[in-house]
């Protein structure tokens, strides 16, 4: 199997990741995040960032995650011999489970509210499920 990164599905998944993050932080949990953080979530860095800079950084981060997650989904699909939404949900969920120890340590050592942890990690879960589903359907034609 060829392990080249396919540009189009990774780009689509990265854009979907930015869209999920936008919906999560700017629409669904905007007021809650503002209250929990004491400021708008886009301005976590001490200096003010423009919206363009914030989304450019978010896109690059999402592109990085999508590039790596693509290979994970290829191996996941080949190992479990499943495709479609089921593969996207299972692959995204298992990929998310692997990140919990890293995400939870910030909240155990810092004094951040657990509600903030739930909002952030549920955003990661939905993002990985969406990316996994995109990759799964894209891989239908390869397998």
């Amino acid at each position: 199997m060829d392990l080249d990164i396919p540009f189009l599905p990774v780009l689509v998944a990265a854009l979907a990741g930015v869209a999920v993050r936008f919906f999560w932080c700017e629409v669904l949990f905007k007021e809650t995040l503002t209250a929990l953080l004491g400021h708008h979530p886009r301005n976590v860095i001490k200096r003010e960032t423009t919206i363009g800079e914030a989304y450019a950084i978010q896109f690059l981060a999402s592109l990085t995650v999508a590039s790596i997650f693509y290979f994970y989904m290829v191996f996941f699909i080949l190992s479990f011999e499943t495709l479609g939404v089921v593969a996207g949900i299972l692959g995204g969920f298992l990929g998310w489970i692997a990140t919990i120890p890293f995400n939870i340590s910030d909240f155990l050592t810092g004094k951040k509210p657990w509600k903030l942890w739930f909002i952030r990690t549920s955003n990661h879960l939905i993002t990985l499920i969406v990316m996994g589903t995109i990759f799964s359907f894209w891989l239908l034609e390869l397998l």
Side-chain angles (χ1 to χ4, degrees), residues 23-34 118-119 122:
F23 177 75
W24 219 253
C25 294
E26 300 288 338
V27 178
L28 196 58
F29 293 109
K30 183 177 183 177
E31 290 84 19
T32 306
L33 286 171
T34 302
F118 173 75
I119 292 170
S122 59

Side-chain angles (χ1 to χ4, degrees), residues 65 68-69 72 90-108 114 117-129 131:
V65 169
I68 295 166
F69 197 62
Y72 166 81
L90 286 175
F93 178 75
L94 292 175
W96 171 76
I97 288 289
T99 67
I100 287 180
F102 304 106
N103 293 333
I104 207 166
S105 64
D106 286 344
F107 292 87
L108 292 175
W114 285 100
W117 177 82
F118 173 75
I119 292 170
R120 286 182 175 173
T121 56
S122 59
N123 172 257
H124 298 157
L125 172 63
I126 299 302
T127 300
L128 291 177
I129 287 174
M131 285 183 176

Side-chain angles (χ1 to χ4, degrees), residues 9 11 23 30 32 52 56 61 66 70-71 82 90 93 107 110 114 116 134 142-143:
L11 179 64
F23 177 75
K30 183 177 183 177
T32 306
Y70 174 79
F71 290 118
T82 183
L90 286 175
F93 178 75
F107 292 87
W114 285 100
L116 180 61
I134 289 168
L142 296 178
L143 301 176

